[in-house]
Amino acid sequence: MPIQVNHDERRKLVGEVVARIIASKGLEAVTVREVAKASGFSTRVVSHYFSGKREVLLLCYRQTAIRAQQRLNSAVAAAPGDVAAGIDALLPYHAQAREDWLVWVSFWGMAIGDPEFSAVQRLQVRASQEYLQALLTTAMLPLPTHGFDPVYAARNLMASLSGMVVQAAFDPEQWPSERQQAYLRSAIKSAIESAEKP
C-alpha cells in the first residue's frame, strides 16, 4: 500500500525550516541543499515542491505573516479591548515573534526590487495598520473621543513600534521584555493623544 503524503504539510514544514535558516544565517544561506538537510527531505523532494529558491522564499514570507496574524487573533480573543495585550504577541521577546521579525527584515531588501515581494510587504503593512486601527477604535469606544482619529493613531503607533521591534530583534540584551512592554504602553498612550483633536 503506498504511503500517504500530506503535500500541504510538507510545504508548510519547508516554509518553517526556511524561516529558521533565515533567522539564524540570513537569506543567502537558503539553498535547496540546506533546506533539504534542515528539513530531513532529499533535495529531490524539495525541488519537487518548489520551482526554485524564489518560490521557497515567497512561501516563507507569506507563512510568517499568517503565523503572526494567528498569534494576534489569539491575543485579541483572550483580552478583547486591551490594546497592549493585542500587540504584545508581536514583540520580539517571544521567540517565535523574534524569528518572524528577523525574517521580515531580511526580506525588506528583496521587496524593494521585486514587485511580488513588494506587494506582499505592502499588504502586510496595510493589514497591520488596519489591525491596530481596530484595536484602538475598540479601546476608545467607552470613552469620550473628542474627534479621535483611529487611522492617524494607528499609523503613528505602527511607525513608533516598527523602530523599537527592529532594535529589539537585533539587540535583545538592550531590549528585555520589560523594556519592550514599557515602550509599548508609552507608544500607545502617545498615539492616542496625538490623534485626539482638542
Side-chain angles (χ1 to χ4, degrees):
M1 187 173 180
I3 298 172
Q4 295 294 316
V5 175
N6 187 324
H7 300 291
D8 290 338
E9 281 300 314
R10 277 193 171 183
R11 287 178 61 84
K12 182 181 177 187
L13 174 61
V14 168
E16 292 169 353
V17 166
V18 170
R20 287 197 295 274
I21 293 171
I22 293 171
S24 60
K25 300 178 181 178
L27 276 175
E28 294 305 314
V30 179
T31 63
V32 172
R33 186 181 301 278
E34 183 69 21
V35 171
K37 178 182 172 185
S39 64
F41 298 139
S42 67
T43 55
R44 184 178 173 198
V45 168
V46 175
S47 297
H48 171 73
Y49 288 105
F50 302 95
S51 61
K53 177 176 177 176
R54 187 177 181 285
E55 188 180 346
V56 173
L57 293 176
L58 193 55
L59 170 75
C60 171
Y61 198 32
R62 289 178 170 147
Q63 245 179 233
T64 303
I66 290 168
R67 190 168 56 234
Q69 188 61 56
Q70 289 169 342
R71 285 201 313 277
L72 292 175
N73 291 344
S74 296
V76 170
D82 186 335
V83 181
I87 299 170
D88 182 83
L90 269 188
L91 298 184
Y93 70 86
H94 302 288
Q96 186 63 70
R98 181 169 185 268
E99 179 182 290
D100 291 346
W101 275 102
L102 292 172
V103 168
W104 290 329
V105 171
S106 297
F107 277 116
W108 287 351
M110 280 190 77
I112 292 171
D114 186 303
E116 195 168 7
F117 277 90
S118 181
V120 174
Q121 172 67 13
R122 192 162 46 251
L123 285 173
Q124 185 176 322
V125 168
R126 289 177 182 174
S128 298
Q129 287 177 347
E130 289 171 7
Y131 173 81
L132 292 177
Q133 182 181 332
L135 274 181
L136 290 164
T137 300
T138 301
M140 293 298 290
L141 281 177
L143 305 172
T145 60
H146 304 295
F148 176 71
D149 183 346
V151 175
Y152 187 78
R155 287 176 181 165
N156 283 354
L157 181 55
M158 186 163 177
S160 182
L161 289 178
S162 293
M164 184 274 284
V165 294
V166 169
Q167 291 181 63
F170 285 96
D171 196 356
E173 288 183 12
Q174 291 295 312
W175 286 91
S177 59
E178 298 81 8
R179 187 176 182 194
Q180 290 185 48
Q181 289 172 325
Y183 185 92
L184 170 61
R185 290 190 294 272
S186 174
I188 290 169
K189 183 174 182 290
S190 294
I192 289 173
E193 288 174 351
S194 72
E196 287 185 332
K197 297 172 185 176

